[in-house]
Amino acid sequence: MKAIYSMFLVFALILLAMIGAGAMGMEYLFGVIIPYLAVVVFIVGFAAKVVGWGKAAVPFNITTTCGQGKSLPWIKENKIENPSSTGGVIARMFFEIFLFRSLFRNSKVELHDGQRVAYSSSKWLWLFAILFHYTFLVIFLRHMRFFTEPVPFPFEMLDKMDSMLQIGAPALYLSSVVAIAALSYLLLRRLFVPSVRYISQPADYFPLFLILSVLVSGIMMRYFVKTDIMAVKELTMGLVTFRPVVPEGVGSIFYVHLFLVSVLLFYFPMSKLMHMGGVFLSPTRNMPANTREVRHVNPWNYPVKVHTYEAYEDEFREKMVEADLPVVKPLEETVENAENKE
Amino acid sequence: MAIEKPDVLFKNISHRPPQGDWMDVQSKIKPGRYCYAGDPEALEYVGLPNPRKWNPLDDDWKLPENWQEIVIGGLKERLDRFRSFKIFMDVCVRCGACADKCHFFIGSGDPKNMPVLRAELLRSIYRGEITKAGKILGRFAGGRKLTEEVLKEIWYYYYQCTECRRCSVFCPYGIDQAEITIIGRELLNLIGLNIDWIAKPVANCYRTGNHLGIQPHAFKDMIDFFCDDIEEVCGIRPEPTFNKVGADILFVTPSGDVFADPGTYTCMGYLMLFHYLKEEYGLDVTWSTYASEGGNFGFFTSHEMMKRLNAKMYMEAKRLGVKWILGGECGHMWRVIHQYMDTMNGPADFLETPVSPITGTKFQSAASTKMVHIVEFTADLIKNGKLNLDKSRNANIKATFHDSCNTSRGMGFFEEPRYIIKNVLDNFYEMPEGTTKEQTFCCGGGSGLNAGENEEIRMMGGLPRANAVKFVHDRHDVNMLSCICAIDRATLTQSVNYWVPGVEVCGLHELVGNALVLPGESERETDLRAEPLPGKEEE
Ligand code: SF4
Ligand code: SF4
């Protein structure tokens, strides 16, 4: 149900763009106003979120340690999984962000007859997650040739490499194929693995469908519903140079594509997609595990009520003396004091 | 309540979640899986909110009038105070990598024991009551309103999480359900929702210095009693000191070691070690009756309560004028010391950077907290050849080692204990990969959940650990599960007995005590448990 809702929502968005930019001729709205707004919302929203996180205090150093800590000199410490220095933290974050280190640990549990619990390595999620993220990055970068004139060499190169296989004309982009395959895996997994399906929210299906439709509309434009590339570039260049124009003959499929991307940008800052920013800031990963060596300061540390030794001794002095435990104030003295008070 | 036989319990575990949406599945509080409510007297003693008698099975939990306001206000406040919490509320992608990593899920199959859903219980409130999108879109954005039903569900499942952090190791964003549970419990405590197995120890610890409420004279008596037992075993009686001003080192261990078998044998091990070091090297260690608890159940209540209880360690060290503090074998005690103590109650500038007076080793890694783990302390002694050890006395023992959650994922304390084990006995076997070190499994009773009334969920949660023990038991005849945590010693004894009869549980210093040759001792016939030593069995 949740998946179906989310899918219909994406269909509705597509329809909206088709009618708006196509039938009703609101090209300027869909080609200029909405994209501008989307970018502004994305940048402001993203920044606000990250600033919000940054403003929250980090009262304690709660690193999750995943390897031997720094200890006696003859014990070999794991400098990356349990970093005691900034260098170690940087290395750990590098593996986390660029190679999805933690996800790579993933395992699967199974219960077998004879009371046996077995764990097996399970790397599919890691593989498809990393494939998706990298291909999406490639796709993003290769779109830069629509926003630059002349197109810088790296983007040209990327384009060439991505279409290296030279299948079809125009040549098929590898990244698109892989991204769609990876997304499909993530979607099918959500739909068919019972536990994952159980935890899934509309907010999990919606971005999957949305990004899929962005990819599909992009591919459609390139291979099936031919669009005037020169006109598109005129429009995109107009956007980045702040001299927006709406050329003739762009075709509504392009507006659909652009609109879906805009929706993605609108949606991004208020959604779980913000994990893109959060992954850098997670205190269990980005702090050095040197808490016993270097004091971490809590900005809101406040004094608390404690039970002092004096109060403790006052309560138990008699018993302590009887048991030969040392006391600070001898017993007689307190008795006298008590008498004096009377 | 009697619990099912292990084979039945095991067969009934199903990891298939029910049909429908979890938000529509009403959680029923099941006997055997929850702990009794906190005793009002205990709450009053330490000034915790809303002390009253209540029963989780009743409909009426006697909440304060404005409980919603309190919880939501508390939630907002904590979003500003803890970046961890704020990020963990925002970035989970529900990838499910953490789902089958929790021992409570593996052993119970209850989908709300998947760490991600445990978090969603609270996250749905965060979305539904605090974020704009959730307020407007409601269920579609994964938000819910904070109703009494939802609150009860949070209470039920946040006291079915042992704050072990295993889920956090696997999460691509390091989302740590332990942190969320800690804060969740803090919120629950604002309106007087807690459990007695935590509330009472907290009050006891505050008053007498330890969880069990042992008063100073009784504390000393118990230790004296161990000294008698040691004398019986080896003819030598240690003479520990208490509350001694001017001693070199203050020793603090969880009171479980002083009170509950088999921790008591570990305690005897400490006493023998200190006696040895005093005789051979003149080391002066003192015990405190005031700071007689290493464990800290305040940690399972709120950050503030943790700080209030922890404060005693530094205050006592300062009063006694010792050089530094030595800590016994405990799990969450070390999480607190390692990641919280210095920040909360430091800087401990009245102490010195710990140096072992015997080996001269400077414990640089403890330079700021000034507190050394007894296992690293002993490992250093062994490494420098300062202890006279006779491994053959442990020859009947085939041991494996359980990494405690807290020392593993909150410290990375893996090689030190293994080094000691390998030096005090010959037969040591590791449990299978994926169940040790940073991926170790909780005993099932951590974070204050080792009560009698929740036995069923404890055995369920204990399954993954016990099952790995079973593996080495079947394969290598392992008969001893060693560990460095007082709660483990208590909990694992039961769960191992349930799942793998024939395996006992011990602390590391019990094994050290057995192997350690005290100067002038008489020939031993038995080990510390009064079991005959190898070769001394009667024919
Ligand atoms: S592993 Fe992390 S991101 Fe994935 S579901 Fe669990 S908490 Fe969420
Ligand atoms: S911290 Fe441990 S007990 Fe709690 S949800 Fe995570 S794995 Fe389960």
Side-chain angles (χ1 to χ4, degrees):
Chain A
M1 270 325 262
K2 293 176 189 168
I4 293 173
Y5 280 149
S6 310
M7 198 168 74
F8 276 125
L9 191 55
V10 174
F11 281 151
L13 292 170
I14 295 172
L15 218 60
L16 192 68
M18 271 163 63
I19 296 172
M24 297 173 61
M26 295 191 285
E27 282 101 344
Y28 196 79
L29 178 68
F30 283 85
V32 178
I33 298 179
I34 292 178
Y36 269 144
L37 261 178
V39 171
V40 171
V41 168
F42 174 77
I43 293 173
V44 173
F46 195 104
K49 198 94 203 175
V50 172
V51 168
W53 288 333
K55 271 204 195 136
V58 183
F60 304 105
N61 185 337
I62 55 161
T63 317
T64 308
T65 57
C66 299
Q68 173 64 44
K70 184 179 168 197
S71 160
L72 295 158
W74 46 273
I75 289 176
K76 192 166 172 281
E77 66 167 306
N78 188 332
K79 292 191 175 163
I80 296 174
E81 306 275 28
N82 190 343
S84 59
S85 65
T86 313
V89 172
I90 290 172
R92 186 184 203 189
M93 292 308 286
F94 174 84
F95 284 111
E96 210 54 86
I97 292 165
F98 292 101
L99 299 171
F100 300 6
R101 169 71 185 101
S102 292
L103 205 52
F104 190 70
R105 287 194 188 96
N106 198 20
S107 63
K108 200 168 91 206
V109 68
E110 268 162 5
L111 304 177
H112 295 285
D113 290 343
Q115 280 181 39
R116 206 163 60 79
V117 188
Y119 312 89
S120 51
S121 140
S122 161
K123 305 258 187 277
W124 294 111
L125 177 59
W126 172 82
L127 181 70
F128 284 104
I130 208 160
L131 280 177
F132 165 69
H133 282 86
Y134 275 104
T135 48
F136 200 71
L137 177 69
V138 168
I139 293 170
F140 172 78
L141 291 176
R142 95 174 134 56
H143 274 74
M144 286 306 125
R145 67 189 204 290
F146 289 106
F147 300 101
T148 44
E149 189 59 54
V151 181
F153 179 69
F155 298 140
E156 289 273 18
M157 264 305 282
L158 195 68
D159 200 72
K160 288 238 166 57
M161 277 166 59
D162 201 2
S163 50
M164 205 168 50
L165 288 189
Q166 298 289 345
I167 305 171
L172 187 69
Y173 284 127
L174 258 179
S175 56
S176 309
V177 177
V178 177
I180 288 191
L183 270 180
S184 308
Y185 171 84
L186 296 176
L187 181 62
L188 291 175
R189 177 177 172 276
R190 232 178 237 297
L191 286 170
F192 293 110
V193 178
S195 57
V196 186
R197 183 190 168 99
Y198 197 65
I199 60 176
S200 295
Q201 297 281 343
D204 299 313
Y205 294 110
F206 178 66
L208 282 173
F209 284 119
L210 186 62
I211 297 172
L212 262 176
S213 62
V214 166
L215 291 174
V216 171
S217 59
I219 290 175
M220 297 257 296
M221 220 185 327
R222 190 165 156 92
Y223 302 104
F224 304 104
V225 197
K226 282 287 165 56
T227 324
D228 181 352
I229 283 283
M230 291 320 289
V232 167
K233 181 137 190 188
E234 209 185 318
L235 190 148
T236 50
M237 283 312 293
L239 287 175
V240 282
T241 51
F242 296 104
R243 265 178 246 111
V245 279
V246 179
E248 288 292 308
V250 176
S252 46
I253 183 76
F254 169 77
Y255 290 108
V256 171
H257 185 66
L258 188 60
F259 182 61
L260 291 169
V261 173
S262 305
V263 172
L264 186 64
L265 292 176
F266 276 124
Y267 180 65
F268 204 104
M270 58 158 167
S271 72
K272 69 168 193 176
L273 301 176
M274 279 305 293
H275 66 264
M276 178 182 168
V279 67
F280 290 88
L281 287 177
S282 183
T284 56
R285 291 287 187 275
N286 73 2
M287 302 181 82
N290 60 358
T291 32
R292 280 200 294 159
E293 192 171 355
V294 181
R295 179 162 187 257
H296 176 82
V297 177
N298 172 2
W300 50 259
N301 197 15
Y302 56 90
V304 294
K305 213 174 142 209
V306 293
H307 191 61
T308 60
Y309 174 79
E310 288 70 29
Y312 166 88
E313 195 188 288
D314 283 345
E315 183 173 356
F316 297 111
R317 185 168 297 107
E318 221 165 297
K319 289 169 173 164
M320 290 173 78
V321 170
E322 222 167 278
D324 264 344
L325 288 166
V327 286
V328 175
K329 278 195 215 156
L331 205 50
E332 302 81 52
E333 199 180 300
T334 41
V335 173
E336 270 168 32
N337 279 347
E339 278 167 1
N340 288 346
K341 262 186 212 148
E342 275 172 22
Chain B
M1 209 194 66
I3 129 170
E4 309 261 26
K5 292 251 170 336
D7 53 329
V8 181
L9 192 79
F10 190 89
K11 256 215 205 83
N12 287 337
I13 305 171
S14 162
H15 286 169
R16 249 190 134 49
Q19 289 296 317
D21 188 339
W22 65 263
M23 285 195 196
D24 297 326
V25 179
Q26 212 193 322
S27 309
K28 218 176 118 25
I29 296 186
K30 291 190 191 147
R33 300 198 189 184
Y34 78 95
C35 297
Y36 299 148
D39 179 9
E41 259 176 54
L43 268 56
E44 257 157 34
Y45 190 82
V46 286
L48 284 170
N50 200 14
R52 77 226 177 271
K53 272 213 165 0
W54 63 286
N55 183 345
L57 295 181
D58 288 349
D59 276 342
D60 181 11
W61 282 15
K62 303 181 190 161
L63 301 172
E65 200 78 28
N66 58 341
W67 67 269
Q68 270 143 321
E69 203 182 299
I70 299 177
V71 172
I72 293 167
L75 189 63
K76 284 188 185 147
E77 191 185 345
R78 278 154 189 80
L79 287 166
D80 289 336
R81 283 195 167 181
F82 297 91
R83 184 183 297 167
S84 52
F85 185 52
K86 196 165 188 165
I87 287 181
F88 298 167
M89 285 296 108
D90 280 329
V91 305
C92 173
V93 296
R94 289 171 293 276
C95 67
C98 59
D100 59 354
K101 306 305 181 287
C102 177
H103 51 288
F104 284 122
F105 174 70
I106 296 175
S108 74
D110 184 339
K112 286 179 185 159
N113 270 327
M114 293 192 268
V116 43
L117 265 201
R118 204 190 302 286
E120 288 286 306
L121 296 180
L122 196 58
R123 215 178 264 132
S124 56
I125 303 307
Y126 162 68
R127 288 191 292 249
E129 299 276 9
I130 295 178
T131 67
K132 270 190 215 81
K135 271 189 184 161
I136 298 165
L137 295 172
R139 280 273 293 257
F140 192 78
R144 324 188 259 186
K145 288 284 164 219
L146 180 56
T147 62
E148 215 163 298
E149 212 171 272
V150 167
L151 180 76
K152 288 178 176 179
E153 186 176 55
I154 295 177
W155 177 83
Y156 185 49
Y157 286 104
Y158 278 53
Y159 286 99
Q160 279 182 51
C161 163
T162 45
E163 303 178 359
C164 79
R165 311 185 100 194
R166 190 168 193 269
C167 44
S168 138
V169 168
F170 296 88
C171 174
Y173 318 112
I175 294 177
D176 180 10
Q177 179 55 34
E179 179 80 351
I180 302 176
T181 297
I182 289 168
I183 290 171
R185 288 189 185 182
E186 200 165 293
L187 293 171
L188 291 165
N189 265 287
L190 293 177
I191 50 170
L193 297 184
N194 34 41
I195 65 169
D196 201 42
W197 220 79
I198 295 173
K200 217 175 256 131
V202 163
N204 281 338
C205 190
Y206 192 69
R207 173 164 178 247
T208 65
N210 58 71
H211 294 159
L212 299 156
I214 312 169
Q215 301 191 358
H217 56 294
F219 186 82
K220 180 169 178 257
D221 277 353
M222 283 175 168
I223 303 242
D224 277 345
F225 194 70
F226 298 148
C227 294
D228 296 342
D229 281 356
I230 294 169
E231 190 171 13
E232 211 139 286
V233 171
C234 65
I236 286 182
R237 198 173 192 290
E239 300 289 343
T241 63
F242 297 90
N243 304 351
K244 182 177 166 190
V245 176
D248 293 336
I249 294 170
L250 166 65
F251 179 63
V252 184
T253 200
S255 61
D257 286 349
V258 184
F259 182 74
D261 285 349
T264 49
Y265 306 117
T266 307
C267 194
M268 287 155 79
Y270 305 144
L271 287 164
M272 292 165 87
L273 177 70
F274 297 153
H275 177 80
Y276 181 98
L277 297 176
K278 191 172 180 180
E279 294 297 303
E280 297 280 297
Y281 308 104
L283 186 76
D284 189 4
V285 176
T286 195
W287 300 63
S288 166
T289 59
Y290 164 68
S292 51
E293 180 61 68
N296 187 329
F297 277 35
F299 185 34
F300 312 140
T301 307
S302 66
H303 286 87
E304 178 173 315
M305 192 51 78
M306 161 169 38
K307 182 176 173 183
R308 288 173 70 186
L309 299 185
N310 173 263
K312 288 187 182 186
M313 287 194 200
Y314 279 156
M315 291 197 311
E316 184 69 338
K318 190 170 186 178
R319 185 181 77 87
L320 298 179
V322 297
K323 298 198 179 77
W324 46 274
I325 314 174
L326 186 64
E329 296 180 16
C330 184
H332 74 272
M333 155 180 170
W334 275 98
R335 172 101 201 272
V336 173
I337 292 167
H338 195 79
Q339 299 193 322
Y340 296 94
M341 176 163 82
D342 198 12
T343 298
M344 287 184 155
N345 290 312
D349 38 21
F350 47 89
L351 298 173
E352 297 171 9
T353 297
V355 174
S356 169
I358 299 153
T359 62
T361 302
K362 185 166 164 196
F363 293 93
Q364 185 57 38
S365 61
S368 184
T369 50
K370 321 279 202 292
M371 184 148 178
V372 174
H373 196 299
I374 189 157
V375 167
E376 53 189 346
F377 179 70
T378 304
D380 171 62
L381 291 171
I382 296 176
K383 179 78 179 176
N384 286 288
K386 300 291 181 191
L387 299 184
N388 184 1
L389 298 166
D390 177 2
K391 274 184 175 182
S392 72
R393 292 184 192 159
N394 285 323
N396 282 343
I397 294 175
K398 291 200 165 82
T400 186
F401 180 70
H402 161 66
D403 292 279
S404 306
C405 314
N406 284 293
T407 50
S408 301
R409 291 182 280 264
M411 218 173 157
F413 203 67
F414 303 130
E415 297 310 327
E416 298 87 341
R418 284 174 172 79
Y419 180 77
I420 296 186
I421 298 180
K422 289 176 189 159
N423 276 285
V424 295
L425 50 74
D426 283 321
N427 306 311
F428 173 66
Y429 303 94
E430 286 280 6
M431 284 183 267
E433 218 178 296
T435 71
T436 56
K437 302 196 175 171
E438 73 276 7
Q439 299 197 15
T440 187
F441 277 106
C442 176
C443 59
S447 81
L449 302 187
N450 189 22
E453 61 270 20
N454 67 339
E455 188 185 3
E456 182 182 80
I457 192 71
R458 260 194 303 122
M459 292 305 122
M460 289 171 161
L463 169 69
R465 171 75 300 148
N467 203 262
V469 175
K470 188 169 181 303
F471 181 84
V472 280
H473 175 66
D474 291 347
R475 182 166 290 198
H476 305 290
D477 259 341
V478 161
N479 58 11
M480 188 62 87
L481 174 58
S482 60
C483 61
I484 49 169
C485 168
I487 290 188
D488 281 337
R489 288 191 274 276
T491 313
L492 288 173
T493 303
Q494 291 175 45
S495 67
V496 164
N497 188 29
Y498 177 81
W499 291 109
V500 214
V503 178
E504 290 187 85
V505 181
C506 74
L508 267 198
H509 277 78
E510 175 183 347
L511 302 174
V512 172
N514 277 333
L516 190 65
V517 183
L518 295 178
E521 69 171 42
S522 53
E523 192 176 337
R524 299 190 198 181
E525 299 289 327
T526 70
D527 62 15
L528 293 176
R529 299 187 180 198
E531 302 284 341
L533 285 176
K536 302 279 165 118
E537 298 92 350
E538 279 167 63
E539 305 297 287

